[in-house]
Each structure stands twice: as C-alpha cells, then as structure tokens.
Amino acid sequence: MPVIEVEGLRKRYGAIAAVDGVNFQVDRGEVFGMLGPNGAGKTTTVEILEGLRPRDGGTVRVLGLDPSHAARAIKARIGVQLQQVALFPDLKVPEIIELFASFYGRGGVAGGLIERLGLQERRTARVKELSGGQQQRLSVALAAVNDPELVFLDEPTTGMDPQARRNLWGVVEQFKSEGRTVFLTTHYMEEAERLCDRVAVMDHGRIIALDAPGRLVRAHFNEDAIEFAQCDGLSTDDLRPLPEVTSAALEGDRFAVFSARVPETMAALLDLARARKLPLEDLRVRHATLEDVFLKLTGRTLRD
Amino acid sequence: MKAYLHLTLSYFRGFVRDRAALFWTLAFPLLFVTIFGLIFGRELGGEFELGLVVQDRSPQAGVVAQVLRAFPAFKLTEDGLERELADLREGRRRAVLVVPDGFGASLATAAPRPVTVHYDASQQSNAQVVLPVIYRAVDLADRTLTRSAPLVRVELQTLQTERLRSIDFIIPGIVAMSVMQLGIFGAVNMVSLRERRVLRRLAATPVPRVTVVAADVTLRLGLTLVQTAILVSVARAAFGVNVTGNLLVLAGVVLLGVLAFLALGFLIAAFARTEQGFFPIAQVPMFIMMFMSGIFFPIEFVPEWVRPIINAFPLTFLGDAVRQVMVGGAPLFPLALDLGVLAAFLAVFFVGAVRLFRWE
C-alpha cells in the first residue's frame, strides 16, 4: 500500500490556484522529491499532507488516513521539518529535543543524529545562538524525534553551506536505510538527482513531470550538453545548424548546445570558433540534468 | 500530561532567560513599591522625631520628661534648645517640646506655666497628626502628676487592626497593577511564538492547541503568585504594611485577576501581528487603567461624574478586591461583586480571544 496517495488535489488562495489538480503516490521506503521554483505550490502541498492546511478539493491519504479527519493520528506517526521556523529561542539543544520527545510520549533523537548533523559541540548553546544552518539542522533532527515512518523535509538545505548540505544528504540517506519514507521538496536539482528515487517537477500548481531523475532526463534528452561562456556576436541561431545538434539554449550566462553525437558537434563548433575567433571560455561537456528538463518544460530556470 | 509539563517548563526557562521579561515582571513592581514606600511610607508611619528641652529641674518636670520619653510613638532627642530648634527648621524634627524654667513651681499657683510646642505649621501632617498625639502625651503626663485616673475613656475601633496609612492604600494598588501588567504582557509569549512560526511547528505535532495555551497560562498563574508574594513581603519588611486578610483568599483574588487580564492580552494579541506591534497596542488600556482605576488614590478624590468611567475598568474591581482582602481597606463594592465583575470580564475577554486569536 502506498504511504501517500493524492488525487485531484486543489487549493486556492483567493484568485490564485496554489495547487491545481495534483495526482501522485509515494511508496513505502522511497525518497520522493518535489522539485520546482518558489511559488510552484510545493509547500502548500506538503502542508496539506501534514494536516496543517485544509484542502479545497481532491482526495488525500497519508498512511492510509485522511488529514482532514485524522490529523492527530497522522501527526503522531510523521516527522516534520518546516521552512523558516525559529524554534524556542531561549532553549538549549538537548532541552528542545526533550520537549519535542515529550509530545510523542517517547523517543529522543536516534543515536548519532546530533553528531551526524554537527550539533554535538553546540549542546550547551541556546537556539538563538546557533547559526541559520545549525538551526536548520536542529529542525531536521527534531523531525526524527518520534521515530517516524514518514518524514517531510521542506527545503531542508536552504541557507546551508556545502559541507552542511552534504551532511544533511547523509542524514536523508540514513532515514532511507532505516526504512523510513522521505518526502522532500527542494529547488536544488543536484539535491533531487542525488537523493530522490522519484521526482515530481512542479510548476504553477501542477506536476509537469514525474519519474526517476535519470529517466526524466533521458525522456527529454537523448543527448549530452556542450557548454561554454556566453560571448559577443554569437546567438543560439548560429549554434542550431551545427551537425547532430538537437537544441541550443542560453542558460543564464552560458550557452548549452545539446548534441546526439558530441564529437561531431564539437569538431564543427571548434571550426566555427576558429573562423569567427570565438574564445569558447570554460568549455565543457556534461550530461543533461533536471535543470535542463525544467528549462525545456517551462522555459524558465529553477531559480527564477 | 507529559507534553503539558514539558511545555510549562520550557516557557519557564524562556522566561527566566529573558532579562527584559524578568525585569518587567519582578524588578519593575518592586521599584514601584520602593519609590512609593519612600514617598508615602515615612509620612505617617513609624515614630515621630521630637526634640525635648527640659529647662526646669523640679521633680514635676522630671515626671513630665519621663512620661514623654516613655511614650511609644516618640523618638526623642535632647540636644538643647538651640540645636533642637535648628533641627526643626531643617525638617529633622516634627516638633520641639520645651518644659520651661519654673514649670514645677508654677503648677501650685493660679497660672501654671505651659509646655511649649514649637512646630512647623506649613507641614500639614504636623497639625493633623503630630499635635493630637502630643496632646495625648501631655495629657498622660498631667494625669500622672495629679495621680488621677480618667473617668471617661475613649477606645478607638478602626476597621483595620492598625491605622491605615497612604502606603497601606497604595501597596494593594501596586499589587493589582502588577497583576494587570503580568496578565496583559503575558500574552506576548504566544505572539512571539506565532511570529517565529513555533506555533506552526507545534501544530505539526500531536499536541493539542489547548495544551500549548494551558501551559502558558500555568506559567503566568505561577508568576503571579511569586510576584504577589514578593511585593507583599517587601512591603511588609520595608514599610510595615501588614496583610490583615487571609492569604489564600488574596491568592485566589490575584489568580482570578491575572486570568481576566491574560484573556484581555490574548484579545489584544489577536490584533497585533508581531511582538513589536503588540506592545504599543497593549500599553493603551494599561496606562488608561493605571491612572483611571483608583488604584493609587481613593475614589472620593475624583469628581462624581468621572466615577462611572472608573467603574467600567476591570482594574478598579481587582484593586478594590485586593485592597479589602489585603489590608482591610474600606471597600467600594462587596468582595463578591468585585469577583463577580472580574469573572464577567474574564468571560467576555475569553470568548473574544478564542474567536479572534489567529494561530498563524
């Protein structure tokens, strides 16, 4: 039986449809990602699943229960990390863990989690003395305090430095290896590619693609990308006629030329560069990513 | 239950680690008591400093001096006429009593020489309070000399066990004011938790909202008892204000009072989005009530037409209840009415707060 089942989910705020007919299922033990820019409807979806927000339409089952009627029972079995929570500013780390454990009548953070999240040397610090990234990590630790079957992490790595982000990825992998189901929202495609078994790409309140990250990329790109810094006098129209090129785009300040056969395209590109004296700075070849998928599907980048 | 106890403990920890909250709850009311105590506590309380100058060496003068020296309400100094008069002029003596030369010898004659009392007539309290006491003392000396027992005695029976001084009036007012402050400002904790999205995080746990609020109310009730106990103890130790009523009844009165004001605080919190926005709004009813509820002055001092306004504020009834329970002061209303009105305010504020308070 799936851990989460969502069908035709809708939520409006005034004239805006924040969630506009969403369908998906999450299976036990998988890490399910929801990828999309800010305002895509990810947080609204998550908060409906967590029992924090009523929905306007559709059916929802979390652990087999409807959040509209059995929110308390769901809350006892899920772990939650919300965006922008400051927690109790004057409590110390062990005190706040003890407090949250008392809400479930059991528990305490699973062994090693405090260490894994790099909080052990801040045990005597008050929450308000922790850095933003440390507070975020504590918030993730609290999501595991009741030994939950299902963990919701809403943009857990926002505001973290790369090291802390990597540690947190380790924690998500630990959750998975412990048999927990993880529902993760993010707007970092590396994060989704690295962690998620399946990813739902969300935009304007709808899911526009849903599959395993690798399959999503292969479904939209049979090709690799040749990338280099933007240079004067060159447009995507100059690049599209090159041999084996399927598409070309300007992603931020870099050109991305998608090619079915990189060597042939590359040879022609180098000829073009020599003839027009183009610098082709920072030239590299890479596989297509979820970011490319998102750009292809929406015409926008994830950070827009 | 476990969640409730842990939440209460957590709020308590937050409270004691927040210096500003500690100051406003405990230090500020104490400051009030000290200031008012220094202003009003001395005026009518304790002993009167009097100068005594005995210029006569007769046995009769000796008896008069002895009676005055033994009189309980006096603190006598005998530094000679000039020194004593100088001290009187500088306000260090309430009055100077002079038993003149030839006093003893004159008593047997038709024109006995009087005991002279020098005093500062510009000091109102002297004329009203000190002089009658001096008359009584001299009268006692007179009867000691003539060895006559008074036939008609007056026994004073006040409402209070002791004379009520200004400070006795004001301390219950400060207790009531502090309870109001603790109640109204008490709601700021929930505003702050809401602003920091902690309430939202708590909503994602199985803990019911009522537990989240009940723990906060528990802390405020506890703080009220501690605050009242400190104020009463300090007023008693430093300024001799005695609690004549039942302490348990007093505790009940302040607890009912803080519940009513907490509910008002939560009602105000419904209109303030942020902690910073809460204080200016909360201060309006607080200051109006501080000065309009007769907690610092007897209600007889205000014109007749203002009184209905005063009777519209909950603090008036809390102040009246605390005063009559604490020092047995003359009540404006029967205690049951005070408590009934407070309960009614509590009910109205509570319903308003429940309807209007937003959790996010």
Side-chain angles (χ1 to χ4, degrees):
Chain A
M1 194 181 68
V3 172
I4 300 175
E5 293 169 277
V6 175
E7 249 183 71
L9 177 63
R10 286 174 199 285
K11 177 75 184 176
R12 302 188 69 83
Y13 297 116
I16 300 158
V19 179
D20 192 11
V22 159
N23 305 293
F24 64 90
Q25 287 193 351
V26 178
D27 294 322
R28 187 166 295 277
E30 82 171 322
V31 177
F32 184 89
M34 200 163 245
L35 182 71
N38 290 325
K42 303 184 304 263
T43 296
T44 303
T45 305
V46 171
E47 292 188 342
I48 290 170
L49 298 180
E50 291 164 347
L52 287 174
R53 245 175 233 292
R55 61 182 187 266
D56 294 339
T59 57
V60 174
R61 291 284 179 280
V62 176
L63 301 166
L65 303 165
D66 184 341
S68 315
H69 303 118
R72 178 84 54 86
I74 292 173
K75 285 168 184 175
R77 291 165 62 191
I78 62 172
V80 170
Q81 173 257 321
L82 302 174
Q83 283 186 53
Q84 301 157 4
V85 167
L87 301 167
F88 291 84
D90 287 305
L91 291 192
K92 294 172 187 170
V93 173
E95 290 169 349
I96 203 161
I97 288 171
E98 202 184 322
L99 172 67
F100 273 76
S102 79
F103 296 160
Y104 302 93
R106 65 180 151 144
V109 168
L113 197 53
I114 289 290
E115 289 72 20
R116 187 134 206 186
L117 286 164
L119 292 170
Q120 70 280 8
E121 43 327 334
R122 310 251 36 201
R123 280 189 158 270
T124 56
R126 295 184 193 173
V127 168
K128 66 180 174 196
E129 294 160 358
L130 301 178
S131 72
Q134 286 169 332
Q135 290 192 19
Q136 189 87 348
R137 279 180 265 162
L138 176 58
S139 188
V140 171
L142 291 178
V145 87
N146 58 331
D147 190 19
E149 297 162 53
L150 169 61
V151 184
F152 289 95
L153 303 175
D154 195 1
E155 309 210 343
T157 58
T158 302
M160 284 189 185
D161 58 57
Q163 180 59 43
R165 183 167 298 163
R166 244 159 260 283
N167 289 347
L168 192 107
W169 290 352
V171 170
V172 174
E173 280 157 359
Q174 182 185 329
F175 285 165
K176 184 180 159 73
S177 72
E178 289 162 350
R180 305 181 208 281
T181 310
V182 179
F183 188 110
L184 174 91
T185 77
T186 181
H187 55 247
Y188 296 114
M189 52 103 190
E190 320 92 276
E191 197 161 290
E193 277 171 347
R194 160 86 187 260
L195 294 176
C196 298
D197 298 312
R198 288 189 306 141
V199 176
V201 181
M202 208 167 175
D203 192 41
H204 292 309
R206 291 167 185 271
I207 291 178
I208 53 177
L210 198 171
D211 212 332
R215 300 233 310 252
L216 266 184
V217 174
R218 282 195 300 278
H220 293 278
F221 295 95
N222 270 321
E223 55 270 58
D224 294 323
I226 301 167
E227 232 186 42
F228 54 93
Q230 186 182 7
C231 47
D232 293 335
L234 191 68
S235 77
T236 49
D237 291 337
D238 300 321
L239 298 169
R240 282 200 193 96
L242 297 177
E244 302 293 339
V245 169
T246 53
S247 69
L250 188 61
E251 293 183 358
D253 55 357
R254 298 174 69 77
F255 281 111
V257 183
F258 293 92
S259 162
R261 289 170 58 91
V262 169
E264 269 143 68
T265 308
M266 185 63 91
L269 178 64
L270 293 174
D271 288 342
L272 178 72
R274 202 173 302 125
R276 294 178 52 175
K277 297 202 165 29
L278 300 171
L280 293 189
E281 273 168 28
D282 200 11
L283 178 70
R284 64 180 77 161
V285 178
R286 62 164 175 80
H287 297 300
T289 65
L290 284 176
E291 182 96 43
D292 301 316
V293 174
F294 190 81
L295 186 77
K296 187 170 173 184
L297 291 173
T298 67
R300 290 176 292 116
T301 65
L302 277 168
R303 312 291 158 72
D304 278 350
Chain B
M1 194 61 194
K2 206 174 158 200
Y4 162 75
L5 293 176
H6 271 84
L7 269 170
T8 309
L9 176 65
S10 299
Y11 294 150
F12 173 73
R13 281 172 169 154
F15 171 79
V16 294
R17 287 168 192 176
D18 179 355
R19 300 245 169 89
L22 267 181
F23 174 81
W24 287 105
T25 313
L26 299 177
F28 182 71
L30 265 184
L31 210 66
F32 245 76
V33 167
T34 311
I35 290 171
F36 277 95
L38 290 177
I39 297 173
F40 296 106
R42 205 180 275 173
E43 185 189 342
L44 303 174
E47 300 170 314
F48 301 121
E49 286 104 6
L50 296 184
L52 177 64
V53 181
V54 184
Q55 294 171 328
D56 192 38
R57 283 163 192 275
S58 66
Q60 291 93 333
V63 170
V64 170
Q66 228 168 6
V67 169
L68 291 176
R69 282 181 199 125
F71 201 72
F74 293 162
K75 190 180 166 200
L76 285 183
T77 48
E78 298 181 48
D79 292 341
L81 185 60
E82 273 172 41
R83 252 320 271 290
E84 291 296 346
L85 286 179
D87 282 345
L88 175 66
R89 261 179 239 110
E90 284 160 29
R92 286 197 290 270
R93 301 284 178 272
R94 296 305 188 96
V96 176
L97 279 63
V98 181
V99 182
D101 200 18
F103 171 80
S106 76
L107 291 180
T109 70
R113 303 197 64 171
V115 172
T116 319
V117 179
H118 300 267
Y119 75 100
D120 182 350
S122 69
Q123 295 285 324
Q124 264 203 334
S125 60
N126 284 354
Q128 290 170 353
V129 181
V130 183
L131 294 183
V133 180
I134 291 175
Y135 283 131
R136 261 186 67 205
V138 173
D139 185 50
L140 184 63
D142 186 29
R143 278 190 278 106
T144 311
L145 279 175
T146 57
R147 295 174 204 275
S148 67
L151 289 175
V152 179
R153 292 196 307 132
V154 173
E155 193 181 282
L156 295 176
Q157 198 81 57
T158 62
L159 287 172
Q160 301 75 34
T161 44
E162 286 171 50
R163 234 191 86 76
L164 204 57
R165 304 162 297 158
S166 302
I167 188 74
D168 297 312
F169 184 90
I170 284 165
I171 293 293
I174 295 177
V175 169
M177 179 200 75
S178 308
V179 167
M180 168 183 73
Q181 230 174 14
L182 203 153
I184 294 181
F185 280 164
V188 81
N189 188 34
M190 283 294 136
V191 176
S192 154
L193 292 180
R194 180 178 59 188
E195 188 183 352
R196 294 169 184 282
R197 293 172 53 96
V198 176
L199 290 188
R200 188 151 192 79
R201 180 63 184 87
L202 293 179
T205 71
V207 174
R209 283 177 176 180
V210 66
T211 306
V212 174
V213 176
D216 193 52
V217 171
T218 306
L219 172 66
R220 306 293 146 189
L221 292 177
L223 288 176
T224 304
L225 291 181
V226 171
Q227 184 191 59
T228 304
I230 291 177
L231 288 181
V232 167
S233 311
V234 169
R236 180 179 185 155
F239 306 109
V241 176
N242 272 323
V243 178
T244 57
N246 186 324
L247 282 176
L248 283 178
V249 178
L250 179 63
V253 168
V254 295
L255 290 182
L256 176 63
V258 82
L259 282 177
F261 285 111
L262 250 180
L264 175 59
F266 275 100
L267 185 58
I268 294 167
F271 298 97
R273 280 218 193 120
T274 63
E275 192 176 338
Q276 295 221 313
F278 175 82
F279 283 105
I281 307 177
Q283 263 158 359
V284 174
M286 254 182 40
F287 274 101
I288 292 176
M289 280 196 269
M290 254 170 86
F291 296 108
M292 293 293 289
S293 293
I295 52 169
F296 295 133
F297 50 83
I299 203 151
E300 294 82 32
F301 285 15
V302 299
E304 194 76 44
W305 62 271
V306 182
R307 289 185 202 177
I309 304 175
I310 289 178
N311 290 343
F313 296 124
L315 187 57
T316 306
F317 299 92
L318 179 61
D320 188 49
V322 172
R323 183 165 297 127
Q324 53 181 297
V325 171
M326 204 175 142
V327 296
L332 297 173
F333 309 105
L335 184 61
L337 179 68
D338 283 332
L339 299 183
V341 172
L342 281 176
F345 272 114
L346 167 59
V348 171
F349 293 152
F350 180 79
V351 170
V354 167
R355 290 241 168 126
L356 298 173
F357 186 82
R358 291 282 160 263
W359 285 76
E360 47 186 87

